[in-house]
Amino acid sequence: MTTTSTPWHTQPIDDVVEQLGTDIKHGLSETTAAERLQQVGPNALQEQPRPTFWQRLLAQFQSFVIYILIFAAVLSGLLGDWVEAAAIAAIVALNATMGVIQEGRAEEALAVLRKLTSPDALVIRGGHQHVIPASQLVPGDVVILEAGNHIPADVRLIEAMNLKVDEASMTGESVPVDKRAAMIVSEDSVLGDRRNMAYMSTTATYGRGKAVVVNTGMKTEIGKIADMIQSTETEITPLQRRLDELGRTLSIGSLAICLLVGVVIFVREMTGGDFEFADALTDSIMTAVALAIAAVPEGLPAVVTINLAIGMREMIRRNALIRRLPAVETLGSASTICSDKTGTLTQNEMTAVRLFVTNKRFDVSGEGFSPVGSFSQNGVDVEIAANPEAGRLLLAALLASDAQLEMNRDGRDEGQSGYQMIGDPTEGAMVVAAAKAGLWRESSEQEYPRVNEIPFDSARKRMSTIHKGNNGNGTQFVVFTKGAPEILLEHCDSVLENGVVVPLDDMKRQEILAANTQMAHQALRVLAVAQRELDTLPEEVTPDTVENHLTLLGLIAMIDPARPEVKSAIAKARHAGIRTVMVTGDYPDTARAIAEQIGLLRENGRVMQGSELERISGSELAAIIDEVDVFARVSPEHKVRIVEAFRARDYVVAMTGDGVNDAPALKRASIGVAMGITGTDVSKETADMVLTDDNYVSIVSAVEQGRVIYANIRKFVYFLLSCNLAEIAVIFLATLAGAPSPLTPIQLLWLNLLTDGAPALALGVEKGDPDIMDRPPRPTKEPIIDRNMRLGLVLQTIAKTTATLLAFMIGRHLDPTSWDLARTMAFVTLSMSELLRGYTSRSELNSVFKIGVFSNSFMQYAVFTSSALLMLVVYVPFLQEIFDTVPLQVEHWLYAVPLLLTPAVVDELTKLYLRMKQEKAAPVAA
């Protein structure tokens, strides 16, 4: 590879190819590509440096709560209480260490997401087409550009078939630019005038092309301004925002109570005459500070972030890649799934099974992409060579397609599924059918070389290619067109019959339409193929100039069987209160047949066509939207209207899509779902979620996981708030009663760090209630702390506060000479009650015995570790001095155990009441 300083856009194609040491047809070899990748590095923009370990560690100390702790430690040291100061410092250090570890795990999860969202490129290497990560492209690679895909690097165009590129991100030009591969552009031309080039970060919006990579990574045009591009964005979800607001509200109220408690303690100790001013001030400040630490729910945002990261990784395992955090919580409210048919509800393994030519029917055998099969009429095998109409139909279908059938590189023989298909599955089915008749792309295109084309357009529903050809009357051009039968027939005025072109009268037209309808009723997808011979090409190749006066060659029927797992997934979604609606461009009869097979079509469900949508208003569509299960023969523009109709009825709708024109519908939907395999880069970029396997089942799994994630967030919010409120109430009520604080500042800090934090994190990885898909979708406006949770918080605060104060009073009664036993019993009772509450908090409604006491292994680790540390604090002599504890005897435990079990029992009884209430209301709701 040798390069010069001459700009690429000023050089002819041959010179560019020669300099880059590549081959237009075969591309680079894998070996050469690997060597160049080592030389030039990955094709990626340099990200901003991630925070170092020390930067992350320092960030842990930049919060109001930590400032309070540091102030308390310094104050203790100045007043000579070095044990207290050291203990607080150790807790601050431990908290910072845990924060660094948690952030590291979250960053690791987000790094996986960034890797999965990186774009792919279709490249030719060693004469074969491959889909590879765009980051692996090197100068000299030959890439295929298709409508809807991002330009993966800076490229010099080799071929451009009606190619248009949206360069707004580079030039600000709002109109897509027509590209011309053969142009030579002056050296001083601005980027927007370089019609023979395409640049990284822009998007192909129309047509197709082939190009050679000239620059990658930071050497691209976008790379030159990479310092102005932020590689990542921090997204704050509405849920996180609501939790932040909740945390601030609680913090203000809690800090006010803490200040009041501190003032009361100071005044009481000074007026009592037992304390010096400095000691009273220190005691009151330390108690207020410790209570503030326990009261402020500073852990909520961190736990939410970790929970979202863990949940998103779980979704990746379920083949659903979440691109935007708000989609996680929205999924929990999904009430409607609008799904494409092909590839999502079906297997996307199109196989041509029937040909219809001038009232003759040919059945085609074989499966998948293996070009092994036979043709038969009435059960008798026939040779296609003896049926010129069928042979011409297959040749035209092959040449009017872009799909490539290639043998797998492991060299397996034909007939053993040793082939792979690159391109559209529908086109692939026609290419395979042609191969079964002995027609292969390479030899056919040598005889009929393609000179131009009009790409498929969802509005026209057809595609045309123009070839040089020879039919014995001298060199001429032939147009091959394929598309929807009822639309293509409108542009045909003749038909090939027994080798002769004859007029297409009304009777023949009706026969063809009847055959199309019959095959569609059998869940077959049907395409019509036609041709037109031209002596000369029109000055401008457009649909109007070449797609008229066509000669119909016949119909090709294909089947794409339903995915076997979809039927149960639809039933599962319906049981969860989620409607599934099919939105497809296929014929109504085909769509109806598939919908009936998979149980999507209800007994009274309607099938509506796109033509009907055109005749009704948006309000009329919204009025009948509940009746429609299948939308057939719709265009991408119709999808937007369908989404609007559902949203007008307050449905939370997930809409699938894969094409460029699907982007508006994906953006307007509550949850836009793009196809990871067949989807264009534009659809993936617009969507909130990408299915890595294009399977409807993955949508349902993602909805289920979305419900689990939201439920887990509610669980640990409930758990943490119940702990914090109880700790505040214990100190506040004891202070108002004139008693010493039942908990020392260091004990409160210990409670907040280990007793509360560890179970809360374990709640974030709950697998979810077994009946989570038996419930209706969550209302979008439902508050995090709903009526049931408010009831639970009140009961839990009363239960924990009562149990702790009773333990405190019993301890004081058992040893009236010291407060240490009373405080130890209060400390142990509150700590153990909160740990046991971790088990009952694992479900908002179901009993802990139904979900399995030990089914969450993380909860076992959290409770066991926290309990062991608690015992060390109580029974290890030097820790007793730090935490003001004394060892508890059997007699003390006999009093404490019933008290520490009380909150868990109250929680189980509360859930029993809520279940009974729900069961009582169920018949009314039905």
Side-chain angles (χ1 to χ4, degrees):
M1 180 180 69
T2 59
T3 59
T4 67
S5 58
T6 307
W8 298 109
H9 58 271
T10 66
Q11 302 180 49
I13 294 173
D14 292 342
D15 291 355
V16 173
V17 171
E18 182 180 355
Q19 283 191 58
L20 292 170
T22 188
D23 181 271
I24 293 177
K25 186 174 182 181
H26 298 94
L28 298 175
S29 67
E30 292 288 357
T31 303
T32 301
E35 291 174 352
R36 292 188 182 180
L37 187 61
Q38 284 289 105
Q39 295 171 2
V40 302
N43 174 38
L45 301 181
Q46 293 179 0
E47 294 186 8
Q48 292 181 343
R50 296 181 186 175
T52 64
F53 168 81
W54 297 109
Q55 288 173 327
R56 291 205 307 269
L57 182 62
L58 182 62
Q60 304 306 314
F61 296 93
Q62 297 175 2
S63 76
F64 177 71
V65 175
I66 297 299
Y67 294 154
I68 294 177
L69 279 174
I70 294 174
F71 169 76
V74 171
L75 183 63
S76 297
L78 292 174
L79 296 174
D81 194 346
W82 294 105
V83 174
E84 188 89 0
I88 296 174
I91 289 177
V92 170
L94 182 58
N95 182 72
T97 303
M98 291 181 63
V100 170
I101 294 172
Q102 291 166 0
E103 282 190 9
R105 290 176 178 173
E107 178 62 30
E108 178 187 348
L110 294 175
V112 172
L113 298 181
R114 281 194 292 267
K115 181 178 178 181
L116 289 173
T117 53
S118 61
D120 293 329
L122 181 58
V123 63
I124 300 175
R125 284 186 179 171
H128 298 277
Q129 292 187 17
H130 308 284
V131 176
I132 66 171
S135 60
Q136 296 181 15
L137 287 177
V138 296
D141 264 327
V142 177
V143 294
I144 305 298
L145 308 177
E146 297 179 338
N149 291 343
H150 287 316
I151 307 300
D154 284 4
V155 297
R156 172 66 163 87
L157 296 172
I158 300 171
E159 297 176 5
M161 299 295 182
N162 299 301
L163 181 64
K164 294 184 179 181
V165 177
D166 181 358
E167 296 182 340
S169 61
M170 295 291 293
T171 66
E173 177 60 49
S174 59
V175 179
V177 179
D178 288 307
K179 294 297 181 178
R180 298 287 184 267
M183 286 184 66
I184 303 296
V185 185
S186 63
E187 184 172 348
D188 59 353
S189 61
V190 297
L191 187 145
D193 292 335
R194 300 172 191 173
R195 306 280 289 279
N196 57 5
M197 298 285 294
Y199 295 97
M200 187 177 183
S201 85
T202 61
T203 306
T205 60
Y206 190 81
R208 58 189 299 273
K210 183 188 289 187
V212 59
V213 175
V214 295
N215 284 315
T216 60
M218 297 304 291
K219 293 185 178 180
T220 61
E221 292 294 328
I222 195 68
K224 295 174 183 177
I225 53 173
D227 58 328
M228 295 188 298
I229 298 175
Q230 298 295 327
S231 60
T232 57
E233 293 181 2
T234 302
E235 294 184 86
I236 301 298
T237 74
L239 175 62
Q240 288 173 311
R241 191 174 297 111
R242 291 199 300 271
L243 285 174
D244 287 343
E245 293 171 355
L246 173 64
R248 282 195 296 271
T249 302
L250 292 174
S251 298
I252 294 172
S254 300
L255 290 175
I257 294 175
C258 296
L259 180 61
L260 176 62
V261 168
V263 171
V264 170
I265 291 175
F266 175 75
V267 172
R268 187 179 65 213
E269 292 182 354
M270 287 298 296
T271 55
D274 297 331
F275 289 84
E276 296 293 334
F277 175 81
D279 292 336
L281 180 63
T282 301
D283 192 32
S284 61
I285 290 177
M286 292 302 295
T287 301
V289 167
L291 186 56
I293 301 303
V296 176
E298 76 282 349
L300 283 182
V303 178
V304 170
T305 301
I306 294 168
N307 183 257
L308 288 174
I310 292 172
M312 291 170 75
R313 294 185 69 176
E314 175 62 28
M315 285 191 176
I316 292 172
R317 285 193 285 270
R318 298 185 182 208
N319 301 308
L321 170 62
I322 302 298
R323 295 192 65 257
R324 295 181 176 87
L325 286 180
V328 176
E329 55 194 87
T330 307
L331 277 167
S333 301
S335 55
T336 303
I337 300 174
C338 292
S339 173
D340 284 328
K341 178 182 73 67
T342 304
T344 309
L345 299 173
T346 61
Q347 298 179 30
N348 202 25
E349 294 181 356
M350 298 295 291
T351 303
V353 295
R354 192 172 302 164
L355 309 180
F356 180 84
V357 181
T358 59
N359 215 21
K360 297 178 185 177
R361 168 179 158 175
F362 296 88
D363 293 317
V364 187
S365 67
E367 294 182 357
F369 297 142
S370 176
V372 176
S374 60
F375 298 84
S376 62
Q377 278 186 291
N378 301 319
V380 179
D381 287 352
V382 296
E383 292 292 334
I384 288 297
N387 294 272
E389 294 92 345
R392 190 67 174 180
L393 170 63
L394 291 172
L395 174 67
L398 168 66
L399 294 175
S401 302
D402 292 321
Q404 299 278 347
L405 179 65
E406 296 182 351
M407 179 173 283
N408 285 335
R409 303 182 72 185
D410 57 15
R412 287 180 291 177
D413 295 332
E414 295 180 10
Q416 298 178 355
S417 301
Y419 287 83
Q420 62 177 346
M421 181 60 62
I422 299 176
D424 179 75
T426 301
E427 291 190 345
M430 295 186 289
V431 170
V432 171
K436 292 174 182 177
L439 298 170
W440 295 84
R441 179 172 298 283
E442 187 170 359
S443 58
S444 298
E445 289 189 341
Q446 286 179 356
E447 185 177 358
Y448 294 91
R450 185 186 294 192
V451 296
N452 210 328
E453 67 180 75
I454 303 176
F456 175 81
D457 182 270
S458 57
R460 292 170 30 249
K461 291 187 172 62
R462 57 188 184 274
M463 170 187 179
S464 295
T465 58
I466 304 170
H467 304 258
K468 284 186 177 180
N470 193 318
N471 67 350
N473 298 324
T475 300
Q476 61 178 7
F477 298 94
V478 58
V479 179
F480 293 125
T481 305
K482 71 177 191 301
E486 78 282 4
I487 292 179
L488 195 59
L489 275 172
E490 296 176 0
H491 299 269
C492 294
D493 52 21
S494 59
V495 61
L496 186 64
E497 187 174 296
N498 299 321
V500 179
V501 176
V502 299
L504 181 61
D505 56 29
D506 288 341
M507 182 178 294
K508 288 186 175 64
R509 194 180 298 271
Q510 292 305 316
E511 288 176 358
I512 294 166
L513 289 173
N516 173 53
T517 302
Q518 182 185 26
M519 289 187 284
H521 275 303
Q522 298 169 359
L524 299 178
R525 183 176 186 183
V526 186
L527 286 182
V529 183
Q531 70 174 34
R532 179 184 177 186
E533 295 181 351
L534 299 171
D535 292 329
T536 60
L537 287 180
E539 292 183 4
E540 187 175 358
V541 175
T542 67
D544 292 335
T545 58
V546 300
E547 290 182 347
N548 290 305
H549 305 296
L550 299 173
T551 298
L552 183 71
L553 300 178
L555 308 178
I556 299 180
M558 295 152 280
I559 189 166
D560 181 14
R563 292 181 183 266
E565 67 273 19
V566 160
K567 187 171 184 178
S568 60
I570 288 176
K572 182 178 182 179
R574 183 173 291 151
H575 189 65
I578 303 170
R579 283 190 61 199
T580 303
V581 177
M582 180 189 294
V583 182
T584 178
D586 262 344
Y587 294 104
D589 293 329
T590 306
R592 179 186 292 275
I594 292 292
E596 289 175 344
Q597 288 179 21
I598 60 180
L600 183 148
L601 189 64
R602 297 170 297 177
E603 184 176 350
N604 298 319
R606 288 181 55 182
V607 178
M608 177 176 281
Q609 296 189 56
S611 57
E612 296 178 70
L613 281 174
E614 296 285 355
R615 295 194 296 267
I616 62 177
S617 65
S619 58
E620 290 173 325
L621 177 59
I624 63 170
I625 199 73
D626 286 335
E627 304 171 12
V628 184
D629 288 338
V630 177
F631 289 95
R633 301 308 283 166
V634 299
S635 65
E637 291 75 17
H638 291 146
K639 285 188 173 184
V640 178
R641 294 196 61 201
I642 293 169
V643 168
E644 295 283 3
F646 276 114
R647 298 199 68 168
R649 298 287 298 273
D650 290 330
Y651 285 97
V652 177
V653 57
M655 171 65 79
T656 67
D658 56 10
V660 179
N661 292 339
D662 288 331
L666 296 180
K667 188 172 183 178
R668 185 67 187 100
S670 309
I671 309 160
V673 183
M675 302 297 107
I677 298 175
T678 61
T680 61
D681 290 336
V682 171
S683 63
K684 295 175 189 177
E685 194 72 23
T686 306
D688 303 294
M689 181 171 80
V690 178
L691 300 183
T692 58
D693 62 350
D694 290 10
N695 195 337
Y696 167 87
V697 176
S698 297
I699 305 177
V700 179
S701 295
V703 170
E704 181 177 9
Q705 186 61 25
R707 290 187 174 191
V708 169
I709 291 172
Y710 188 84
N712 287 348
I713 290 173
R714 279 176 51 89
K715 290 170 190 174
F716 63 66
V717 167
Y718 181 26
F719 176 78
L720 287 177
L721 290 183
S722 66
C723 294
N724 289 351
L725 290 175
E727 292 161 13
I728 294 173
V730 166
I731 305 298
F732 184 66
L733 292 177
T735 302
L736 290 182
S741 173
L743 300 167
T744 65
I746 196 70
Q747 289 173 351
L748 282 170
L749 291 172
W750 185 265
L751 273 166
N752 191 57
L753 179 65
L754 291 177
T755 308
D756 298 351
L761 288 173
L763 289 172
V765 295
E766 273 292 322
K767 294 181 180 178
D769 291 349
D771 60 348
I772 198 161
M773 291 297 279
D774 296 337
R775 308 169 189 169
R778 172 180 57 84
T780 54
K781 297 181 180 179
E782 178 186 80
I784 299 173
I785 303 178
D786 60 10
R787 181 179 299 177
N788 290 344
M789 188 179 290
R790 288 196 294 270
L791 173 64
L793 286 174
V794 170
L795 294 176
Q796 280 302 304
T797 301
I798 293 173
K800 289 181 182 179
T801 303
T802 303
T804 303
L805 291 177
L806 282 175
F808 182 67
M809 294 168 61
I810 291 171
R812 179 62 176 170
H813 175 74
L814 294 175
D815 185 4
T817 64
S818 172
W819 290 103
D820 287 347
L821 177 61
R823 287 196 172 102
T824 302
M825 289 191 66
F827 178 45
V828 169
T829 299
L830 184 55
S831 297
M832 291 303 299
S833 69
E834 291 183 356
L835 290 175
L836 292 177
R837 263 274 294 135
Y839 287 100
T840 62
S841 297
R842 292 174 51 212
S843 175
E844 294 185 48
L845 289 174
N846 291 315
S847 167
V848 67
F849 302 105
K850 179 178 180 180
I851 62 176
V853 178
F854 303 109
S855 58
N856 183 340
S857 59
F858 292 97
M859 185 62 72
Q860 315 314 316
Y861 299 144
V863 172
F864 175 79
T865 302
S866 297
S867 299
L869 292 172
L870 175 64
M871 293 303 102
L872 290 177
V873 166
V874 172
Y875 290 102
V876 175
F878 81 90
L879 291 177
Q880 291 171 357
E881 295 181 11
I882 297 175
F883 286 88
D884 297 322
T885 58
V886 295
L888 297 183
Q889 307 302 321
V890 174
E891 176 191 8
H892 305 142
W893 282 106
L894 290 176
Y895 286 108
V897 168
L899 294 174
L900 62 86
L901 287 173
T902 300
V905 173
V906 169
D907 195 25
E908 287 297 302
L909 292 175
T910 303
K911 290 192 288 186
L912 175 62
Y913 164 74
L914 293 175
R915 289 197 301 272
M916 294 173 61
K917 179 181 176 182
Q918 188 180 69
E919 291 171 2
K920 185 178 180 180
V924 177

